[in-house]
Amino acid sequence: MNENSYPIINLEKITYSYPGGPPVINELDLKFYHGDRIGLIAPNGNGKTTLFHIIMGLLKPASGKIEIFGKSVREERDFLDIRRRIGLLFQDADDQLFSPTVLEDVAFGPLNLGRSKEEAIEISRKTLNFLGLAGFENKITFKLSGGEKRLVSFATVLAMEPEILLLDEPLTGLDNQTRGKIIDILLNLDISYILISHEIDFLAATTKQIYTMENGMILSDEKAYIHKHDHIHQFGTIPHKHM
Ligand SMILES: Nc1ncnc2c1ncn2[C@@H]1O[C@H](COP(=O)(O)OP(=O)(O)O)[C@@H](O)[C@H]1O
Ligand SMILES: [Mg+2]
């Protein structure tokens, strides 16, 4: 079968509630294909982060079907492979970073994937260079600024050479320069992703479809969300279309 002909992430009627709470995800369907770049925009508390955690197997839905890379995933061991192949950039960088130094944090993933120490260091250095973080190797992770932490988090994800990225509000709290950097990186990466953000211009610049979430479900009515508008372009020269 051609890799484009079936969804690489296929969620059917997924329902999830936190203990004692109402369903946050409610009979949600999502099909994500190779080459997709989906933006997800919805008010706080609508279940966007929960959805990402379900895809990664960090939360287990009460009901519904999850197929990823053409295989049904249910058990914890099914998700081990998924977590190697899908990179999640956590909404909070402090959930992502746990090693004393930047290099150790970035090398952790490749080492975990079975790379030698030398290979892991080489990949980490390359990734840090790619993100403009050369020279950060020996910095103490917890002393970094918010923007630096976000970029190092991104490095830890990219160093695992994932096939898909799930990016949870990557621009939050970043200065304009770092925001521009992240946008450039996304535009230059040859990778499929789902990107959560509250910023329509950012999504318009970096994604091909924009979905929203309401009542625990995904709505894909793009027309309702992309509209003509006048604004000053925060990101300068990044080309993007308005519909
Ligand atoms: N660990 C948790 N325990 C209980 N409720 C939670 C937890 N995490 C999130 N929620 C609740 O689930 C809902 C969806 O949260 P979340 O997925 O983080 O939304 P979003 O990412 O769209 O802001 C919110 O009402 C939130 O309060
Ligand atoms: Mg969230």
Side-chain angles (χ1 to χ4, degrees):
M1 204 162 30
N2 180 300
E3 66 175 3
N4 295 318
S5 65
Y6 66 92
I8 43 179
I9 297 176
N10 184 23
L11 306 183
E12 285 181 16
K13 291 194 177 304
I14 297 293
T15 296
Y16 180 83
S17 312
Y18 288 97
V24 171
I25 303 292
N26 202 356
E27 307 241 318
L28 175 145
D29 293 324
L30 171 69
K31 286 189 196 312
F32 179 80
Y33 292 87
H34 184 80
D36 276 355
R37 291 184 161 203
I38 294 176
L40 193 53
I41 188 165
N44 285 330
N46 272 30
K48 305 180 298 296
T49 296
T50 304
L51 171 63
F52 275 7
H53 290 187
I54 288 172
I55 294 172
M56 298 301 282
L58 303 174
L59 297 172
K60 300 288 175 343
S63 59
K65 192 169 93 174
I66 305 180
E67 283 171 351
I68 303 184
F69 301 117
K71 273 193 257 166
S72 173
V73 280
R74 267 184 234 110
E75 317 280 324
E76 177 59 17
R77 66 186 144 89
D78 302 329
F79 282 103
L80 297 179
D81 181 53
I82 303 305
R83 289 187 206 127
R84 290 164 175 258
R85 298 174 67 184
I86 302 183
L88 169 63
L89 183 72
F90 281 87
Q91 183 169 350
D92 184 347
D94 290 326
D95 289 336
Q96 197 116 39
L97 304 173
F98 48 82
S99 302
T101 68
V102 168
L103 186 64
E104 284 169 287
D105 244 330
V106 182
F108 180 87
L111 280 173
N112 216 21
L113 292 176
R115 302 282 193 160
S116 70
K117 197 173 165 198
E118 291 69 32
E119 284 172 333
I121 289 175
E122 170 73 11
I123 295 169
S124 302
R125 286 193 192 283
K126 270 195 192 147
T127 311
L128 288 169
N129 284 346
F130 176 66
L131 293 178
L133 296 173
F136 272 63
E137 289 80 355
N138 297 319
K139 291 202 184 207
I140 307 299
T141 309
F142 84 88
K143 288 190 183 167
L144 298 174
S145 73
E148 290 167 342
K149 277 188 188 169
R150 174 65 56 170
L151 285 170
V152 171
S153 294
F154 209 172
T156 67
V157 173
L158 291 181
M160 295 184 68
E161 301 173 324
E163 293 164 52
I164 300 171
L165 288 173
L166 303 179
L167 304 156
D168 198 346
E169 303 197 22
L171 296 191
T172 308
L174 299 186
D175 59 54
N176 279 346
Q177 198 187 348
T178 316
R179 295 158 71 92
K181 202 183 239 179
I182 290 202
I183 293 166
D184 278 346
I185 292 162
L186 289 177
L187 294 177
N188 284 308
L189 275 178
D190 182 20
I191 192 166
S192 311
Y193 53 73
I194 306 178
L195 175 47
I196 296 172
S197 172
H198 293 290
E199 297 178 51
I200 191 79
D201 284 356
F202 171 45
L203 293 178
T206 53
T207 67
K208 300 178 191 169
Q209 303 122 288
I210 300 182
Y211 295 172
T212 187
M213 281 181 77
E214 209 176 282
N215 303 321
M217 291 169 64
I218 288 187
L219 307 178
S220 54
D221 186 356
E222 298 170 34
K223 289 195 186 79
Y225 285 86
I226 302 188
H227 52 266
K228 270 204 167 73
H229 55 294
D230 296 321
H231 60 213
I232 295 165
H233 280 201
Q234 201 167 5
F235 307 123
T237 55
I238 292 157
H240 64 273
K241 265 191 241 163
H242 290 171
M243 299 155 103

